[in-house]
């Protein structure tokens, strides 16, 4: 019992310092958007670092033997050096992201007792040699049965990071596991909930927003349940014991394009809360710059005041050509910053900078500038 008590004291001592009053704006930056010096979409020199507090370089992936795949998403040594150099020159910290969607199998194998030590050594060696300021862990998907292994990994990782440097940051991206993070939040500097990807053309559903702040009182006709929303998602984490100041919500520089279907009041899908006879098909993760260049029409713009979400409603002659496009716009960005303030949360994450970058736009980073303005407003 005494030994357990001592261990708890030591681990609590590793807790991150209390969050400051300033909300964080932590922006992901994908290696494939950075590309290379011959082909790229967004270079580090083009990022407005004044609009963010942290950059997360996305991403390296865990291999089953505890090694790391640094090339799959474009995190070459050159790209790391370019981003870290530009961010540090602007006085901003850069974290290395580990994982992403479908990384669960790699994490599960790499964090077993037989490989966990080497995996952590490999992570910290990469942080040291490439001069990152910390790690962001993005284990997706994470099932309930993996919570104990995740917790053991995170506790050991934080202990080893602390031994290497007390200044290193440890953050996570998650969409579930509220009670897990209620236990381990002292280990973490930021717990960023991926409050997007909330909808799809699934049985028993209706058309719904990608990242609504509120459910607006809507209920599924199939079972009476409420559609997902940022508010309901975040309240789960707060009720599980995660401090508000450790929580971040998501701003998505990507949207969902719903297409066609039949049996709605307009024929095909054209807005939220529509049921269908034949299901529409949904193109997910469409970049904001693509939505603006390929679909945007000011006459089609709508704001859902109940859900606090933007969308485009394209009611065309043939039902198959109808579209409902759910995305974050400048108003959405502002309302999400206001929500963070009203709930006294830690900040926001942005997924991801390249999605919002339009080389032909004015400004070229319209959504990022909207976030910057909203954060600076009193």
């Amino acid at each position: 019992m005494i030994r357990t008590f001592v261990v708890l004291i030591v681990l609590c001592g590793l807790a991150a310092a209390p969050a400051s009053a300033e909300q964080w704006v932590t922006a992901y930056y994908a290696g494939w958007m950075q590309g290379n010096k011959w082909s790229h979409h967004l270079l580090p020199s083009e990022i407005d670092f004044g609009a963010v507090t942290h950059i997360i370089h996305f991403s390296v992936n865990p291999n089953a033997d505890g090694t790391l795949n640094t090339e799959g998403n474009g995190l070459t040594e050159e790209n790391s050096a370019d981003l870290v150099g530009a961010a540090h020159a602007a006085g901003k910290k850069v974290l290395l992201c580990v994982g992403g969607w479908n990384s669960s199998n790699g994490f599960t194998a790499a964090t077993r007792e037989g490989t966990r030590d080497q995996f952590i050594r490999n992570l910290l060696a990469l942080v040291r040699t490439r001069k990152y300021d910390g790690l962001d862990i993005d284990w997706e998907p994470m099932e309930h049965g993996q919570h104990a292994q995740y917790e053991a990994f995170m506790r050991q990782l934080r202990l080893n990071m602390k031994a290497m440097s007390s200044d290193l940051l440890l953050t996570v991206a998650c969409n579930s596991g509220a009670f897990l993070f209620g236990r381990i939040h002292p280990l973490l500097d930021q717990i960023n909930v991926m409050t997007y990807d909330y909808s799809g053309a699934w049985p028993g559903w209706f058309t719904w927003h990608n990242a609504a702040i509120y459910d607006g009182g809507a209920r599924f006709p199939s079972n009476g349940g409420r559609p997902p929303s940022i508010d309901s998602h975040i309240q789960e984490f707060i009720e599980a014991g995660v401090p508000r100041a450790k929580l971040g919500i998501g701003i998505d520089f990507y949207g969902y394009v719903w297409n066609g279907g039949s049996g709605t009041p307009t024929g095909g899908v054209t807005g939220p809360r529509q049921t269908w006879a034949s299901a529409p098909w949904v193109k997910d993760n469409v970049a904001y710059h693509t939505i603006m260049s390929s679909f945007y029409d000011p006459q089609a713009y709508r704001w859902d005041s109940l859900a606090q979400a933007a969308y485009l409603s394209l009611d065309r002659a043939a039902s198959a050509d109808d579209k409902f496009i759910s995305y974050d716009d400048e108003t959405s960005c502002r309302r999400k910053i206001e929500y963070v303030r009203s709930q006294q949360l830690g900040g926001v994450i942005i997924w991801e900078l390249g999605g919002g970058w339009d080389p032909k736009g004015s400004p070229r980073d319209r959504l990022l500038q909207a976030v910057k303005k909203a954060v600076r407003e009193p």
Side-chain angles (χ1 to χ4, degrees):
M1 181 64 72
I2 293 175
R3 182 177 300 172
T4 301
F5 182 67
V6 171
V7 169
L8 287 173
I9 291 175
V10 170
L11 289 174
C12 288
L14 298 178
S20 67
E22 178 190 11
Q23 281 99 30
W24 66 71
V25 177
T26 297
Y28 283 85
Y29 178 42
W32 63 80
M33 288 293 187
Q34 186 176 0
N36 55 53
K37 61 184 178 182
W38 298 284
S39 175
H40 69 277
H41 179 71
L42 171 64
L43 288 174
S45 59
E46 296 170 314
I47 296 172
D48 179 4
F49 290 102
V52 303
T53 58
H54 305 76
I55 293 282
I56 296 180
H57 210 185
F58 188 90
S59 75
V60 299
N61 279 300
N63 295 321
D65 62 356
T67 58
L68 298 168
N69 178 351
T70 60
E71 300 291 330
N73 289 320
L75 263 64
T76 62
E77 289 186 35
E78 180 182 24
N79 278 354
S80 293
D82 287 349
L83 176 61
V84 171
H88 285 178
K92 301 301 169 73
K93 293 190 174 185
V94 187
L95 285 74
L96 171 67
C97 181
V98 187
W101 185 245
N102 282 334
S103 61
S104 182
N105 289 342
F107 270 116
T108 301
T111 60
R112 292 176 301 180
E113 287 193 16
T115 54
R116 186 168 63 225
D117 289 349
Q118 186 59 51
F119 179 49
I120 290 175
R121 283 195 292 270
N122 290 336
L123 285 174
L124 295 186
L126 194 60
V127 167
R128 182 178 61 251
T129 57
R130 298 198 182 183
K131 300 180 181 179
Y132 287 107
D133 301 294
L135 289 166
D136 177 69
I137 304 301
D138 187 8
W139 181 324
E140 293 186 63
M142 183 175 59
E143 307 297 336
H144 186 271
Q146 298 170 317
H147 285 189
Q149 186 171 338
Y150 182 96
E151 182 171 348
F153 163 59
M154 295 299 285
R155 290 189 182 278
Q156 184 176 340
L157 176 61
R158 186 71 194 197
L159 188 68
N160 288 22
M161 289 176 71
K162 203 72 173 177
M164 179 174 162
S165 171
S166 60
D167 294 328
L168 291 176
L169 300 175
L170 180 58
T171 67
V172 297
C174 60
N175 54 25
S176 62
F179 286 99
L180 166 65
F181 292 104
R183 290 196 306 271
I184 69 171
H185 69 80
L187 305 172
L188 303 169
D189 295 282
Q190 298 178 13
I191 299 170
N192 290 307
V193 186
M194 294 180 284
T195 53
Y196 38 76
D197 297 332
Y198 276 161
S199 62
W202 301 310
W205 270 59
F206 47 44
T207 52
W208 188 240
H209 301 286
N210 172 49
I213 298 177
Y214 300 104
D215 62 34
R219 292 187 178 271
F220 294 120
S222 58
N223 59 17
R226 294 187 181 277
S229 68
I230 291 173
D231 185 59
S232 63
H233 204 167
I234 286 298
Q235 296 309 318
E236 289 180 14
F237 281 77
I238 293 171
E239 291 169 8
V242 180
R244 292 173 183 267
K246 287 286 185 77
L247 285 169
I249 67 170
I251 295 176
D252 197 4
F253 283 9
Y254 293 76
Y256 276 40
V257 179
W258 297 63
N259 302 270
S262 68
T264 78
T266 54
V269 291
T270 56
R273 306 177 189 84
Q274 291 182 334
T275 57
W276 53 77
S278 61
W281 67 275
V282 182
K283 175 63 175 175
D284 59 9
N285 296 306
V286 179
Y288 171 79
H289 65 80
T290 299
I291 291 173
M292 296 304 289
S293 63
S294 300
F295 302 109
Y296 183 76
D297 177 349
Q299 299 301 314
Y301 179 80
R302 304 286 187 275
W303 175 256
D304 186 334
S305 60
L306 295 177
Q308 294 287 288
Y311 67 98
L312 300 178
S313 176
L314 300 174
D315 188 2
R316 292 170 171 168
S319 296
D321 293 330
D322 287 348
K323 296 185 188 299
F324 160 55
I325 302 174
S326 174
Y327 69 108
D328 277 349
D329 72 339
E330 292 159 288
T331 302
S332 303
C333 292
R334 184 173 69 254
R335 295 297 170 83
K336 289 183 178 183
I337 297 298
E338 291 171 355
Y339 179 83
V340 165
R341 286 181 177 146
S342 69
Q343 294 292 316
Q344 299 180 306
L345 305 181
V348 297
I349 52 168
I350 293 170
W351 175 260
E352 75 58 67
L353 290 175
W357 179 259
D358 182 1
K360 298 179 181 179
S362 179
R364 293 182 291 178
D365 56 351
R366 183 178 300 275
L367 292 187
L368 186 61
Q369 292 307 310
V371 172
K372 182 179 183 178
K373 181 180 179 182
V375 169
R376 292 184 175 186
E377 289 175 349

